[in-house]
Amino acid sequence: MKKYQVVGIGNAVVDVLTRADDSFLEHMGVTKGIMQLVERERAETLYGAMESRVQAPGGSVANTLAGIGNLGLRTAFIGRVHDDTLGRFYAEAMAKDGTDFVNPPVPGGELPTSRSMIFVSPDGERSMNTYLGISAELGPDDVAEAVAGEAEVVFLEGYLFDKPKGKEAFLKAARACRAAGGKAGIAISDPFCVERHRTDFLTLIEDEMDFVIGNEAEIRSLYQNDDLEADLAAVGAICPLVVCTRSGDGVTILHEGTRTDVPVKKVVPVDATGAGDQFAAGFLYGLVTGCDMGRAGAMGTVAAGEVIGHMGPRPEANLQALFRQKGLI
């Protein structure tokens, strides 16, 4: 038995959330509904403008691991934080949630711990302003092959593709996992990220990945057109398992040539932050525990539905209990 069922690698970002209406966003020059990178000075300005802040350890794959930990699986996270107040908070919070934070906070004169200022609109849309800080410096030296090799699944965060050493870290983790009999997969993360690294993304998916998870916009961005069905077929031709979330239109899964469509119940979100991350948590739980694709996809939709019902990117309810209520376990 492997030490870990899922090991994630990605940005270690402290999420700082507050509610804000459209007039506030316009006044502060915040673009609604997207994630944008900001410099340190801008991050400090936005942080100071936030009222009634809610602080939590975040980052896309780290949020997914929190959901998987909620479901009782053995997890670890490969990330990079500074030995500062936010970094120590992050490492302790991950451990408290049941995920091994395998790299200790880095002391010395490096960049501060990463943080994302997230403004949640009345309609549930989130506007994310992320200062990457030290997490963007994660590289292959931060990846212990013993950790990746002890994973049934390694799950990679596409955002880290913005630097060459992030790509090197991904390859090291994926190859160590697969060499030891595990599976490696990636969350595409963001269509703008794909546009910056399209060729590398496609090469990684074809040569190194056993599965890929993305939303409709992210899947489309791989091939620069508006034909989702053709794009799904193209990704399915180079990767054994492709999962596409389609918001209110459900989820489409292509697994070794077989298509499964999973419906969803449309709801108005309280806060859409973390919906994709928790879908991945539910789906990966199903994958690791041997469920068929339809059941794994349904688990993903239940986990996503839970997190959009409250503020914050991580589940508050017992996901296993929700799965039992839905007859999934």
Side-chain angles (χ1 to χ4, degrees):
M1 184 174 67
K2 300 278 189 181
K3 182 176 181 179
Y4 300 113
Q5 287 162 294
V6 182
V7 170
I9 175 170
N11 281 306
V13 182
V14 177
D15 283 338
V16 187
L17 297 100
T18 193
R19 294 190 179 277
D21 59 25
D22 290 355
S23 62
F24 175 88
L25 299 180
E26 184 177 351
H27 174 70
M28 295 300 299
V30 173
T31 303
K32 183 178 177 180
I34 68 167
M35 193 286 289
Q36 57 187 354
L37 301 179
V38 298
E39 297 300 324
R40 186 173 181 175
E41 182 178 354
R42 171 70 168 163
E44 292 172 351
T45 298
L46 292 174
Y47 184 86
M50 302 177 88
E51 297 181 359
S52 303
R53 294 183 291 254
V54 176
Q55 183 173 291
S60 178
V61 164
N63 289 337
T64 296
L65 290 174
I68 295 171
N70 178 289
L71 285 160
L73 300 191
R74 303 181 304 279
T75 59
F77 181 62
I78 298 170
R80 191 173 180 86
V81 298
H82 192 110
D83 188 14
D84 53 19
T85 301
L86 284 179
R88 291 188 293 272
F89 162 78
Y90 192 98
E92 292 165 5
M94 290 293 290
K96 184 179 179 181
D97 286 343
T99 293
D100 284 356
F101 190 78
V102 297
N103 297 330
V106 179
E110 289 203 42
L111 295 169
T113 295
S114 310
R115 73 287 311 267
S116 182
M117 281 60 65
I118 304 172
F119 299 93
V120 183
S121 305
D123 60 3
E125 279 288 340
R126 79 276 197 206
S127 307
M128 305 171 67
N129 300 265
T130 303
Y131 169 62
L132 289 178
I134 195 174
S135 71
E137 299 303 310
L138 187 141
D141 290 345
D142 297 302
V143 177
E145 291 188 1
V147 173
E150 278 294 322
E152 292 181 28
V153 169
V154 162
F155 190 45
L156 314 174
E157 180 181 315
Y159 286 128
L160 272 178
F161 251 52
D162 275 316
K163 291 196 175 182
K165 58 185 175 182
K167 299 173 188 177
E168 293 171 16
F170 276 8
L171 289 174
K172 184 176 180 181
R175 289 170 179 173
C177 175
R178 298 179 88 199
K183 295 184 181 297
I186 190 168
I188 298 177
S189 295
D190 185 88
F192 300 110
C193 192
V194 173
E195 288 172 11
R196 293 191 293 271
H197 309 286
R198 183 172 289 107
T199 300
D200 285 346
F201 258 110
L202 288 170
T203 299
L204 180 82
I205 291 168
E206 182 169 13
D207 295 345
E208 310 285 351
M209 296 292 101
D210 298 293
F211 65 92
V212 59
I213 300 176
N215 64 28
E216 190 171 350
E218 291 159 359
I219 296 293
R220 282 177 170 170
S221 68
L222 288 169
Y223 296 99
Q224 297 178 280
N225 63 53
D226 290 325
D227 189 343
L228 179 63
E229 293 300 322
D231 295 342
L232 285 169
V235 186
I238 63 173
C239 187
L241 174 56
V242 181
V243 184
C244 178
T245 59
R246 307 172 70 173
S247 190
D249 293 326
V251 179
T252 297
I253 302 170
L254 299 180
H255 182 220
E256 296 178 347
T258 299
R259 176 173 178 145
T260 303
D261 288 300
V262 181
V264 298
K265 180 181 178 180
K266 293 184 179 181
V267 297
V268 177
V270 173
D271 171 18
T273 309
D277 304 336
Q278 295 313 319
F279 171 84
F283 179 80
L284 290 177
Y285 175 83
L287 184 69
V288 169
T289 57
C291 295
D292 61 62
M293 291 297 101
R295 183 170 296 192
M299 288 174 169
T301 66
V302 171
E306 189 281 338
V307 81
I308 66 174
H310 57 76
M311 285 282 286
R314 299 188 173 193
E316 294 180 352
N318 183 305
L319 294 180
Q320 278 198 350
L322 293 178
F323 289 176
R324 290 192 187 96
Q325 289 174 16
K326 300 292 184 180
L328 297 173
I329 58 175

